[in-house]
Amino acid sequence: MMGIYSDLLFLLALTQYATCQKVAGQLSNPTLQGPEKVKLNETETISCIASSEKLSILYSLYRGKTLVQVQNVSTSEPANFSVSFHSQTDGGTYKCKVESDDAMQTKYSNSINIIVLAPVLGVSITSVPDPPVLKVHDKLTLNCLVKQGSGVTYQWYFNKQELLSNSSVKINQSSLVIDHVDLKDAGDYQCKANNQFNMTTFSIASNSTEVIVKVPASNPDILADVNFVNKDGMYLTIRCLSHEGTLPIVYTLYKNTSFVNDYYAESHREGQFIVLESYTDKLGTFKCKATNGFEPKYSNGLDVDSSFQTVTVAVSVAVTMLLILVLGLICYCISQKAHRCNID
C-alpha cells in the first residue's frame, strides 16, 4: 500500500515540476520602442524585448506586412534593430514578432508609428476629369500631390492670384473642388507646397494646369439658298448655325444619313456647304450635326425635292423674264429720247 502512495506522490510531483517548467518557459508579449520622428537619411535604433526562460528568442521586425530585419538573441537581451530611413516610405507602422527557439510559441508586440521628416519635393496637380475640360455646371476636383515632404501646407493660385475658399470654391489643404463650374472658372490653376526641414523653409510650386470650361453646342438650324441654276442642276448653299456653344464648332452635313462634308467653324458660328443637286436626283433630306467636344447636337431635316427644284426653276425663269422686260424698257426709253432730239 505504501508503494502505491509513493508512486502517486512521485507522479504528482513530476506533473507539478513539468507545469512549472512550462510556465517558466512561456514567452511574454514583447515591448517595442523606437523614435516617433526621424529625419530623412538618418539611422535609428528600434528595440524589442520579451521575457522568457528560453535560451534564445527569434525576433522579427515588420513595417506593415513587410519583414525588415530578423535577430536571434538570448532571452536576457533585447533585439536592437538598426534601421535607415532613406525615404518617407521607410516610415509607417512597425511591429515586432517573437518566436521561441522550439518554434512552439509566437507573440506580437505593440505597434509604433514613425514619421520621416523630409523637405517638400516634386509638386504636381491631378484633375478630375482629366484633362480638365468641362462644360458649364460640371464638377471639377484638383489635387496637389507631393513626392515627399512632412508637415506640408498648401496654397492655391488662379491666374497667378492666390485663391481662397469661397461660396463656389472649396479648398481643403491639398484639394480644390468646384461643384458647379462656370465660364469665369476657366483659366490657369497652380498649387504651392511648403514645409520646414532643418530650420529651412521649403516652398515648391507645381506647373500650371489650364482648366477649360465650354458651353455645349446647341441644336443647329439648317437653311438652304439657291446660288444659280443650269442644265446640270442647281447649286445650293446649305448653312448650319448653332446659336450657342463655345467655338470652334465642327459642323457635319449629311444627305439621307450619308456623309457629305465637314466644316470647321473657328472664328464665326456658321458653317456653309456648297452642294450640287441634280434634277435627276432622288428626293433628299439634309441634316446638320454640331460638335465642340461634347454630345453631338443635330438639326431638323431639310427636304430638297422636285417641288423645291420646280419652284427654284420657276423663280429663276421669272427673274430672267423680268430682267428682259427691264432691259427692253430701258432701250425703248433711250430710243424715244433720241427720236425727240432729232425732231427738235
Side-chain angles (χ1 to χ4, degrees):
M1 182 65 96
M2 289 296 294
I4 295 175
Y5 283 118
S6 298
D7 291 340
L8 290 173
L9 289 172
F10 176 77
L11 289 174
L12 181 60
L14 185 62
T15 302
Q16 290 177 341
Y17 174 79
T19 302
C20 291
Q21 286 295 100
K22 185 176 180 180
V23 172
Q26 284 285 343
L27 280 173
S28 65
N29 288 92
T31 300
L32 187 67
Q33 292 183 330
E36 293 182 358
K37 298 179 180 180
V38 298
K39 292 181 180 180
L40 189 67
N41 296 322
E42 284 188 341
T43 300
E44 295 288 345
T45 298
I46 301 176
S47 297
C48 186
I49 187 170
S51 60
S52 175
E53 295 292 331
K54 296 291 183 179
L55 294 177
S56 64
I57 300 177
L58 182 65
Y59 288 86
S60 301
L61 181 66
Y62 287 85
R63 180 180 63 250
K65 295 182 179 180
T66 302
L67 179 63
V68 178
Q69 292 182 32
V70 174
Q71 288 188 25
N72 197 335
V73 299
S74 64
T75 57
S76 61
E77 298 293 332
N80 293 317
F81 299 97
S82 183
V83 180
S84 296
F85 298 87
H86 296 300
S87 71
Q88 286 195 287
T89 57
D90 292 328
T93 302
Y94 283 80
K95 183 177 286 189
C96 177
K97 181 180 76 172
V98 294
E99 298 175 86
S100 59
D101 53 1
D102 57 8
M104 297 298 292
Q105 300 177 60
T106 300
K107 299 284 185 178
Y108 288 91
S109 73
N110 56 298
S111 298
I112 61 172
N113 188 58
I114 300 178
I115 299 173
V116 180
L117 303 177
V120 68
L121 181 67
V123 183
S124 61
I125 292 179
T126 62
S127 70
V128 180
D130 183 21
V133 179
L134 309 93
K135 63 178 182 290
V136 173
H137 303 313
D138 279 352
K139 181 177 181 179
L140 170 68
T141 300
L142 300 177
N143 292 300
C144 190
L145 304 181
V146 297
K147 289 185 177 180
Q148 77 170 33
S150 54
V152 179
T153 59
Y154 299 88
Q155 292 170 286
W156 285 92
Y157 295 86
F158 175 60
N159 292 335
K160 298 184 179 180
Q161 299 294 319
E162 186 171 4
L163 185 61
L164 302 176
S165 287
N166 55 52
S167 58
S168 60
V169 180
K170 301 174 184 177
I171 296 177
N172 184 12
Q173 285 293 327
S174 63
S175 69
L176 182 153
V177 177
I178 303 176
D179 287 323
H180 305 285
V181 297
D182 202 346
L183 292 175
K184 63 180 178 58
D185 299 313
D188 290 329
Y189 289 79
Q190 189 178 37
C191 70
K192 184 181 290 185
N194 316 278
N195 78 339
Q196 285 193 337
F197 180 74
N198 284 346
M199 306 300 292
T200 301
T201 299
F202 291 81
S203 183
I204 307 295
S206 70
N207 291 331
S208 293
T209 296
E210 183 182 9
V211 172
I212 299 173
V213 181
K214 291 184 175 182
V215 176
S218 59
N219 293 89
D221 294 332
I222 183 169
L223 301 169
D225 295 323
V226 178
N227 290 348
F228 62 91
V229 178
N230 60 21
K231 63 180 181 178
D232 297 324
M234 59 181 177
Y235 285 86
L236 302 177
T237 297
I238 297 180
R239 295 179 287 120
C240 302
L241 174 62
S242 289
H243 294 280
E244 295 180 357
T246 304
L247 295 177
I249 297 175
V250 178
Y251 293 102
T252 304
L253 182 65
Y254 297 91
K255 178 183 178 182
N256 297 333
T257 71
S258 296
F259 171 79
V260 176
N261 209 346
D262 283 328
Y263 187 95
Y264 189 79
E266 184 174 19
S267 58
H268 54 280
R269 308 196 66 81
E270 186 178 83
Q272 295 186 357
F273 303 88
I274 305 298
V275 179
L276 172 62
E277 280 296 286
S278 173
Y279 295 127
T280 60
D281 279 349
K282 296 181 181 179
L283 302 184
T285 300
F286 288 92
K287 182 174 286 191
C288 280
K289 179 179 74 173
T291 55
N292 65 341
F294 301 98
E295 182 180 355
K297 298 295 179 66
Y298 292 86
S299 70
N300 294 325
L302 175 66
D303 293 326
V304 177
D305 54 25
S306 57
S307 63
F308 187 93
Q309 296 173 6
T310 302
V311 171
T312 302
V313 172
V315 170
S316 178
V317 171
V319 170
T320 303
M321 292 299 295
L322 180 61
L323 180 60
I324 293 173
L325 290 173
V326 170
L327 290 175
L329 182 60
I330 292 173
C331 291
Y332 174 76
C333 292
I334 292 174
S335 63
Q336 286 294 100
K337 184 176 181 181
H339 178 69
R340 289 195 191 96
C341 289
N342 290 334
I343 294 176
D344 294 340

